[in-house]
């Protein structure tokens, strides 16, 4: 049985085994108690916005978390089946002290999770996440008398509020004039309803597949090449201009070109940035493991790129501090602060369609203009001490590299980079290498593997 994981982004486990309604209620009480303790305006009644992806276990866990919040005297606004970015948008729109999303993102249907957002729409930083986790384990919860118990209300305005914010960052008429044919694969997750609505309002001819929010995933949910053959076929068969794939909580977006070819998730944030940079000179923030294609696009536009530790909250936080015009992660996550500080597939779709509309170029033309690199992502078992040793040995070996130690060790060379970092959730070290081509990448991978074998045996 896999363990219940409590990390910076919240809690994740197997429904009915490690993640039960009792656990969810206590986690809700822990988060609620934390929010009441950190509230500057003491005496003010707090509310928390709660939504869920389409997993069948979602209603049970949402009700349980809401019960926990009510028991400590916090009101709950239930916004139902929505994407993760929707909760980020709505909690700020409604003036909530925090938000909770019941989702296990791209994990299989047996899993579910509880993701926490603070009043700014961003997940708690490591130190605050640690405090919430400790409170959950210590079971020191706020307790109120009956008149103060929280109440649950329901809000159905999410789609309209969110779409209005997305519309404000693009020019609807330019996109609508093109009448793009778009295939949208929502994997029967939470993004189908709002995704179709947005694309329809952008004047697209939408072919929706797997758009029932049943949580019975039509294919393995992570939006990677091997899981999207159905979408690729549909784009080719329909003669569409583009195919979009969302993950179950619709924060990630993968793209299929007009020939039915999967272009890879790394291009999503790069294409979005290319459009934004064409309108605004500014700075982008992405994590250390994101492709340097974004550096190329930024350089061409006279813009800058900031690199952050891996983790959505780290990117979003850096974006706010540096007033970034765009940001995200190479896993298909695009963040535009004008909509919200959360990775958002709707933002990704709108910005990419706008780029296509303004340039008059197809997806494959845009991709070949950007070019590409060879990227290898692997992982191996290692504990903290072993990981530290591996990084030290790599530092001794790669003396000609520029080194960034924000999150593990990232070594930058003229022809690419090597990133070694520990996973946030398991005793695993990740090795990401991006180089001009496969054979150069292999020489670096071999060098790291030599070090690894010497240390791990
Ligand atoms: Mg996700």
């Amino acid at each position: 049985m896999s363990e219940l994981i409590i990390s910076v982004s919240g809690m994740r486990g197997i429904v009915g085994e490690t993640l039960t309604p009792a656990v969810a209620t206590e986690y809700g009480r822990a988060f609620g108690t934390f929010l009441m303790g950190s509230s500057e305006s003491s005496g003010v009644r707090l509310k928390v916005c709660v939504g869920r992806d389409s997993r069948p276990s979602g209603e049970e866990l949402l009700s349980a978390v809401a019960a926990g919040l009510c028991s400590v005297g916090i009101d709950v606004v239930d916004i139902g089946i929505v994407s993760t970015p929707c909760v980020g948008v709505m909690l700020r729109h409604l003036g909530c002290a925090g938000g909770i999303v019941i989702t296990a993102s791209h994990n299989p249907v047996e899993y579910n999770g509880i993701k926490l957002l603070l009043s700014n729409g961003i997940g708690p930083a490591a130190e605050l996440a640690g405090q919430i986790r400790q409170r959950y384990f210590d079971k020191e919860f706020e307790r109120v008398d009956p008149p103060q118990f929280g109440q649950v209300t329901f809000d159905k305005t999410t789609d309209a509020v969110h779409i209005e914010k997305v519309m404000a960052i693009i020019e609807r008429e330019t996109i609508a004039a093109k009448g793009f044919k778009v295939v949208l694969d929502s994997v029967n997750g939470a993004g189908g309803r709002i995704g179709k609505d947005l694309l329809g309002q952008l004047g697209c001819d939408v072919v929706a597949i797997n758009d029932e929010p049943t949580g019975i995933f039509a294919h393995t949910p992570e939006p990677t090449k091997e899981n999207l053959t159905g979408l690729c076929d549909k784009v080719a068969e329909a003669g569409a201009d583009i195919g979009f794939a969302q993950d179950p909580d619709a924060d990630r977006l993968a793209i299929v070109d007009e020939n039915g070819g999967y272009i890879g998730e790394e291009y999503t944030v790069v294409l979005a940035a290319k459009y934004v940079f064409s309108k605004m000179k500014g700075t982008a923030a992405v994590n250390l493991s994101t492709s340097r294609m974004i550096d190329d696009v930024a350089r061409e536009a006279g813009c800058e790129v900031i690199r952050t530790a891996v983790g959505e909250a780290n990117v979003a936080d850096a974006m706010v501090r540096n007033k970034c015009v765009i940001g995200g992660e190479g896993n298909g996550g695009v963040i535009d602060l004008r909509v919200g500080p959360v990775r958002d597939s709707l933002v990704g779709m709108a910005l990419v369609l706008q780029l296509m509309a303004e340039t008059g170029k197809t997806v494959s033309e845009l991709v070949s203009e950007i070019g590409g690199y060879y990227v290898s992502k692997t992982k191996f078992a290692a504990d903290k001490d072993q990981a530290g040793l591996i990084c030290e040995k790599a530092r001794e070996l790669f003396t000609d590299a520029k080194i960034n130690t924000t999150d593990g060790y990232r070594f930058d060379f003229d022809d690419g980079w090597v990133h070694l970092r520990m996973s946030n959730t398991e005793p695993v070290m990740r090795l990401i290498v991006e180089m001009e081509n496969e054979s150069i990448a292999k020489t670096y991978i071999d060098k790291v593997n030599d070090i690894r074998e010497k240390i791990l045996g």
Side-chain angles (χ1 to χ4, degrees):
M1 188 166 73
S2 83
E3 279 174 72
L4 184 69
I5 294 168
I6 307 180
S7 70
V8 280
S9 48
M11 171 183 275
R12 195 169 287 181
I14 294 183
V15 175
E17 290 185 13
T18 52
L19 182 52
T20 62
V23 166
T25 298
E26 293 207 327
Y27 202 49
R29 295 175 77 187
F31 184 49
T33 304
F34 164 83
L35 290 177
M36 291 175 84
S38 63
S39 172
E40 283 159 16
S41 43
S42 66
V44 171
R45 202 164 169 85
L46 301 182
K47 57 186 175 188
V48 166
C49 175
V50 180
R52 68 173 183 97
D53 74 15
S54 61
R55 274 162 228 270
S57 58
E59 198 56 53
E60 172 184 68
L61 293 171
L62 186 147
S63 300
V65 137
L69 290 164
C70 288
S71 77
V72 302
I74 288 184
D75 290 329
V76 171
V77 186
D78 178 347
I79 62 171
I81 297 179
V82 294
S83 71
T84 292
C86 281
V87 177
V89 165
M90 284 305 279
L91 79 89
R92 299 200 306 159
H93 179 73
L94 298 167
C96 293
I100 292 182
V101 197
I102 307 298
T103 179
S105 189
H106 57 277
N107 287 88
V109 69
E110 311 81 85
Y111 286 82
N112 214 331
I114 304 172
K115 186 178 164 100
L116 309 177
L117 298 172
L118 301 179
S119 61
N120 59 3
I122 303 177
E127 195 202 324
L128 296 182
Q131 289 175 22
I132 297 164
R133 184 173 185 269
Q134 199 53 48
R135 194 164 285 279
Y136 168 76
F137 285 122
D138 292 345
K139 316 251 176 268
E140 282 173 18
F141 306 131
E142 187 75 36
R143 184 75 211 171
V144 294
D145 295 323
Q148 279 84 45
F149 278 125
Q151 303 296 314
V152 179
T153 54
F154 299 88
D155 189 299
K156 293 285 170 204
T157 63
T158 303
D159 290 6
V161 170
H162 193 170
I163 287 175
E164 193 186 329
K165 284 192 176 290
V166 175
M167 287 296 181
I169 67 167
I170 42 104
E171 287 153 34
R172 185 197 167 274
E173 295 311 317
T174 319
I175 298 175
K178 294 286 183 179
F180 289 125
K181 189 167 194 179
V182 179
V183 184
L184 175 65
D185 179 351
S186 305
V187 68
N188 293 334
R193 183 190 66 229
I194 191 169
K196 284 187 289 185
D197 195 349
L198 172 76
L199 293 169
Q201 290 192 39
L202 290 173
C204 298
D205 174 5
V206 187
V207 180
I209 59 173
N210 310 319
D211 59 333
E212 292 297 325
T214 58
I216 308 301
F217 302 134
H219 51 75
T220 308
E222 188 158 28
T224 51
K225 185 176 187 177
E226 60 277 16
N227 299 331
L228 296 177
T229 50
L231 172 62
C232 292
D233 292 347
K234 195 72 188 175
V235 169
E237 179 196 313
D241 296 291
I242 191 167
F244 288 128
Q246 298 168 307
D247 75 332
D249 65 324
D251 57 352
R252 286 167 62 179
L253 179 75
I255 297 171
V256 170
D257 73 16
E258 74 283 4
N259 305 310
Y262 177 82
I263 66 170
E265 279 182 293
E266 289 285 347
Y267 279 98
T268 308
V269 72
V270 179
L271 289 165
K274 193 176 166 74
Y275 167 67
V276 171
F277 286 154
S278 75
K279 296 287 158 183
M280 288 182 273
K281 293 281 169 272
T283 303
V286 293
N287 73 35
L288 285 161
S289 287
T290 299
S291 170
R292 64 179 171 144
M293 292 188 288
I294 194 159
D295 300 287
D296 299 342
V297 166
R299 197 177 311 114
E300 200 169 297
C303 295
E304 300 278 326
V305 178
I306 294 171
R307 295 278 174 172
T308 76
V310 173
E312 180 181 23
N314 298 319
V315 178
D317 187 55
M319 287 182 70
V320 171
R321 275 188 288 109
N322 297 286
K323 298 188 172 61
C324 291
V325 295
I326 191 75
E329 299 188 304
N331 60 5
V334 180
I335 302 174
D336 188 315
L337 296 177
R338 294 171 294 178
V339 176
V342 182
R343 295 175 305 197
D344 189 343
S345 62
L346 296 193
V347 167
M349 291 194 278
L351 294 176
V352 172
L353 290 172
Q354 184 79 38
L355 178 68
M356 290 164 65
E358 287 201 6
T359 58
K361 290 175 181 159
T362 63
V363 178
S364 65
E365 284 167 351
L366 290 165
V367 163
S368 83
E369 229 175 57
I370 290 166
Y373 299 100
Y374 178 82
V375 181
S376 157
K377 298 182 186 185
T378 50
K379 57 182 182 179
F380 51 88
D383 63 28
K384 255 202 158 101
D385 294 341
Q386 292 166 331
L389 277 173
I390 291 171
C391 286
E392 270 315 308
K393 291 284 169 203
R395 186 213 273 272
E396 287 165 19
L397 182 68
F398 298 139
T399 47
D400 55 333
K402 247 188 1 203
I403 301 174
N404 182 324
T405 58
T406 309
D407 181 7
Y409 278 60
R410 178 172 148 138
F411 303 94
D412 266 279
F413 307 90
D414 289 341
D415 46 2
W417 53 270
V418 171
H419 190 197
L420 274 162
R421 64 176 288 269
M422 278 300 281
S423 160
N424 289 329
T425 50
E426 45 187 347
V428 157
M429 186 157 217
R430 297 183 193 282
L431 167 63
I432 304 109
V433 178
E434 181 176 45
M435 292 287 158
E436 297 280 351
N437 60 51
E438 186 174 357
S439 74
I440 301 175
K442 199 171 173 306
T443 62
Y444 287 96
I445 295 168
D446 288 346
K447 284 177 190 172
V448 174
N449 280 341
D450 281 349
I451 295 172
R452 189 184 105 189
E453 275 164 27
K454 277 189 194 119
I455 288 166
L456 300 178

